[in-house]
Amino acid sequence: MTFLIPLALLIAAFAVFPLLAHALRRGRASPHHFPATRFVPSRTTTARQRHRLEDRWLLLLRILLLACLALLAATPFVKCSRLSLGRTDGASVAAALVIDDSASMRAKTAGGSTRLEAALEGARQLLGTARSGDSFSIVLAGHPARVHTSTTTELGSVRDALDTIRATDRKTDIASALDLARSLQEEVPQSDRPIVLLSDLSIPEASSLDLEGVILPEAGLRSPMENCALVSAVMSPDAVQTEITCTSENAIKGRKLQLFDTRGTAIGSAVAAQDGAVRLPLARKDKKAGDKKAGAKKESPNMDALEVRLTTSDVDDIEDDDRCVVIDSPAALSVGIRADQGTAGVKTGAGTVLQAAVEALDRGVRVQSLSLLPEDPRELEPLSALLIDDPSGFVPEVREAVTTWTEQGGVGLVLLGPAIARAPLGSDFAPFLRSSPSWKATTSSGADPSQAGALGPLTTGWVDLGARHRATWAEDDAQTLARWDDGSPLVSERALGRGLLLTVSLPSSVDESDLALRPAFLELLDYAISQSAIRRGARATPVGERWGVDPTATVTGPDGSELAKQPFAATEGTSTGYSDFVEPELAGRYTITHADEEATSRVAMRDLSEHVTQPSQTLGSPRDEKRAQGMARVGISREIALLTLVLGAIELAFRMLARTRRRSPLREGIS
Amino acid sequence: MPSSVPLRSRLADTRRSRLALRARELASGWAAGSHRADRKGSGVEFAGHRAYTPGDDLRHLDRHALLRHKQLLIREFFTDTERGLHLVVDVTSSMHYRGRDESKASAERETKAERALLLAAALAHVGREAGDHLGLSWISDGARKTQKPKGGAEAFEHIMHELVSLDQDLSTRAPTEKKSEQEGGGANFEDLFRELGSAIPRGTIVVVLSDLLDLDRAQIRSLSALCTRKRTVRAAQILTPEEVEFPFDGALRFLDLESGREVETDGGQVKTDYIERLEAYTADIRKQLLAQGGQLIRARTDEDPKDTLRHLASGAASER
């Protein structure tokens, strides 16, 4: 508790006066003259006890009254969970409320509500302290950032607008939301223009956010979470490849994966879940059914309706991300392969080992051989996956193009080989690796299955690779999917934007090792292509990505509700070919029904980082800390004034009651 | 009244006339003849026969009885006769208690002493109308005075003057004066009753107007001893409603008006005990008086004084 005028607390010293007064009068009742006193029995103990009791209550009441008066004069403030709109100069305020409605805000807080509910409650508390003349705007920080309510002084409509905000599976886009809020604030007439960010800051780049002048109340949003999320599930001929991401081992412990059909019947056996990729094999008849479905899917888009579910757990803070629709292998995936025919060619035929391996997968993907790595992102645009064998490094233009393409959902796989020793000046292996690799001789025979990561038992085929040399690099934050038996990374994986980058420490050349000759190599390629289908496939896009639709089409979401179509801006409309768009904000399958009754389905996918990134506790740029603390300080003078009134009334009633009870006719009777 | 007369004197006259008026009004309806004397003699109401003894008036010889029974029988009649009426008024400190009467203004409340003086004055009127000899004793804290029963208007006027003087004295007293009197010494009822026992003549009716709250056993015995020599004692215990009902509650500290005794108590808890004690004390006095042919009645200050007067006057009449 803090005070505006602490010196006023000295008033409490006056409590000594009631103490003195009570001490003086406490002993005996006032005398009453009475002629028949000789017949009155003495009850000294009872009388004094009652008197003492009444005295104590009165004394307590009076001391409390004085203490309340002292508190009232000192103008107290308490720090509490309720937020209040602080004013720098007492004038009206134009506040921009930036509310994070991303998927991470679905996590539960210590209070049992979700982070989004806590953020909305905080916003309502701020609105509750607003005065006439204050204006508010609401910007939502789920990708893409958008203005939910333009600046208005109609507090009722702002309150109503808060009630319409729902939890989504969007990824976080705080930077854009803050930019939007700042642009809104430039137009308001008020001089006091706070921007209040209500977010858990569960983003990897939180430290690089520009929070200058932004008020960031804690509001119970940034407590760590335990969670596992099903990021994707892709159908392959005999299995469903799922990707699970978890905050810790504890979150996945004891949980299983199950496959269900549209009717909710389990059609796949449950397998133990683990952090990373999990292969959920299909039973033979299920496989057939799956094939049948896959085949029929071309005729009817509704056939692909399988769902993978993660069994529940007590430590799971987000329950909505424990199920995921299975998307089928995309038919029109295009895989770019850059490999040297001379070093990585197939001895027995044309083409390279990589080409042969991809064709052996029989996934119907279109293979495109690249003579050079593109330096323009637009050249990579048609590709969903990029396989690079034994590169000598990437020049800056290539790095830039690959980075942009990956961030948009591309999946890259690079197999490092002896060419890294001939890396030209100015080239490196970013974005696959943050450090420069080296090509060295190795005594290690192959992979260690016990240290296998997401690839798991598949790496048993790589126990003896027969490699004499291998690429090595310094380990960083990339996830290692398989390791050499001496602990060095064999296969590593790094998420970048919506995409994924895989690095293998051996080339595909059979002259260098037996890597490409083992089945696990095909599994690795299958994994990469599946991921590309998920991340960049035509039918699966991240949540929040706009889908162009015909004005006559209707789009039904995974919860059965129809999505509202919005018109494209003029420039956007010409580039997409559609006049309207919908913005899916929940992960799952959407059905688009066209005017001719033909229905197609699309899938909105979750962003991996939203479900496992912990709230950031340290922020790089300075923010309005003082005001943020002030928002949690609430004046309690009104409550104390009410308490003082109540105490005064009780004291008065007490005195009247005591007076009535003690009233003696004797004093009045003496003439 | 001329304006030169001092205000105090005018107030005193007003008060005197008020007491006298109230007493006369109260006593109206009570006349001589309505009271039968205890002596038989030459009255008009037949009282019975007795055997003739030499010296009897032959006019009362019953000739019819002589012829019928051949015995000499004398006819007797009740006679209306003067009899002494002695009033004993208690104006000690305890009689200054006014009690609480919420229905009246404070100035209109009557103390027990004022009620006693009013009853005494009314009884004096009744006695004068009956032609009785009238006497008066009063007792206060540390002082007392006795006027032996005498007949005639002069005795009545003297008694009325004494009563009015006491009434005036009550009205001019302040609480502090009462306290100083308290400290000066208590009333000695025992001495008064002994003095009356030897001073007032045989057959006198003694009317005691007091709260009788501070009598010890010796004083009660001396009061009942007044009943000797054909005297009758009629005691009126004048109490306020508060003294009878004890309507107090909560923590209280009582101070006795005469002894200065202090008692701390809880009103609600001791009410029953108090009433039992008071009634037991009163019953003891009543029992002792009854044993000697006396009578005790209770007179509350909130009751109509006529009722008390009726009880006292009828009781007195029945004794004649």
Side-chain angles (χ1 to χ4, degrees), chain A residues 340-348 352-354 356-357 389-390 415 418 465-468 506-518 521:
Chain A
D340 190 356
Q341 178 71 35
T343 56
V346 180
K347 307 293 184 188
T348 55
T352 60
V353 173
L354 278 174
D389 185 50
D390 195 11
L415 298 115
L465 290 170
R468 294 187 298 274
L506 286 174
S508 64
S509 169
V510 293
D511 294 331
E512 292 294 334
S513 71
D514 294 339
L515 176 79
L517 301 177
R518 302 285 189 265
F521 184 67

Side-chain angles (χ1 to χ4, degrees), chain A residues 443-638:
Chain A
T443 55
S444 179
S445 58
D448 180 3
S450 64
Q451 295 188 54
L455 290 180
L458 292 173
T459 54
T460 51
W462 284 340
V463 171
D464 183 11
L465 290 170
R468 294 187 298 274
H469 293 81
R470 65 176 181 185
T472 57
W473 60 87
E475 279 193 68
D476 47 26
D477 57 352
Q479 187 184 1
T480 302
L481 301 182
R483 290 183 184 278
W484 290 89
D485 53 10
D486 62 356
S488 296
L490 175 58
V491 182
S492 71
E493 178 189 77
R494 178 196 307 282
L496 179 63
R498 281 164 31 213
L500 195 66
L501 296 169
L502 296 157
T503 308
V504 185
S505 61
L506 286 174
S508 64
S509 169
V510 293
D511 294 331
E512 292 294 334
S513 71
D514 294 339
L515 176 79
L517 301 177
R518 302 285 189 265
F521 184 67
L522 293 180
E523 290 292 343
L524 179 64
L525 294 179
D526 188 50
Y527 173 67
I529 293 169
S530 298
Q531 285 296 315
S532 72
I534 294 165
R535 295 165 190 269
R536 201 172 167 82
R539 294 173 57 239
T541 62
V543 170
E545 194 91 339
R546 291 176 176 179
W547 293 340
V549 291
D550 292 325
T552 54
T554 56
V555 182
T556 310
D559 56 352
S561 62
E562 187 176 329
L563 272 66
K565 293 188 290 293
Q566 299 171 60
F568 269 122
T571 51
E572 289 175 316
T574 50
S575 63
T576 59
Y578 290 104
S579 60
D580 290 354
F581 71 90
V582 292
E583 201 172 271
E585 54 184 22
L586 296 176
R589 187 181 307 281
Y590 289 75
T591 304
I592 304 171
T593 308
H594 301 280
D596 56 358
E597 298 298 322
E598 185 188 355
T600 57
S601 69
R602 296 190 73 170
V603 176
M605 304 298 293
R606 296 188 179 97
D607 185 89
L608 183 145
S609 64
E610 279 297 318
H611 301 268
V612 291
T613 308
Q614 296 289 5
S616 179
Q617 305 295 337
T618 54
L619 298 170
S621 63
R623 56 197 184 279
D624 201 340
E625 283 281 6
K626 189 177 175 184
R627 194 155 179 184
Q629 287 173 4
M631 292 181 86
R633 285 174 68 218
V634 177
I636 53 168
S637 297
R638 188 172 57 179

Side-chain angles (χ1 to χ4, degrees), chain A residues 28 32 661 665-666 669 671, chain B residues 178 248-249 253-255 262:
Chain A
R28 311 172 78 188
H32 299 280
R661 291 180 63 180
L666 299 168
S671 60
Chain B
K178 278 183 274 183
F248 308 114
D249 197 10
R253 186 154 64 98
F254 287 113
L255 200 62
E262 198 174 289

Side-chain angles (χ1 to χ4, degrees), chain A residues 397-416:
Chain A
E397 291 79 5
V398 173
R399 286 202 302 265
E400 188 67 29
V402 171
T403 300
T404 304
W405 171 78
T406 307
E407 283 175 344
Q408 292 171 352
V411 174
L413 171 69
V414 64
L415 298 115
L416 300 177

Side-chain angles (χ1 to χ4, degrees), chain B residues 236-253:
Chain B
Q237 188 184 33
I238 301 171
L239 296 176
T240 62
E242 288 76 16
E243 288 167 316
V244 177
E245 295 165 1
F246 203 73
F248 308 114
D249 197 10
L252 294 162
R253 186 154 64 98

Side-chain angles (χ1 to χ4, degrees), chain A residues 28-29 31-43 46-48 50-51 661 665-666 669 671, chain B residues 96-100 178 213 215 243 248-249 253-256 261-262 264-266 269-270 273-274 277 281:
Chain A
R28 311 172 78 188
H32 299 280
H33 293 280
F34 190 57
T37 299
R38 61 179 291 197
F39 304 110
V40 179
S42 176
R43 289 282 189 279
T46 311
R48 284 197 175 180
R50 182 182 291 185
H51 211 103
R661 291 180 63 180
L666 299 168
S671 60
Chain B
H96 298 153
Y97 185 56
R98 197 180 288 276
R100 182 175 63 179
K178 278 183 274 183
L213 291 176
L215 302 186
E243 288 167 316
F248 308 114
D249 197 10
R253 186 154 64 98
F254 287 113
L255 200 62
D256 193 275
R261 184 176 168 234
E262 198 174 289
E264 281 193 64
T265 191
D266 186 294
Q269 288 193 357
V270 301
D273 286 351
Y274 165 84
R277 285 187 185 191
Y281 169 78

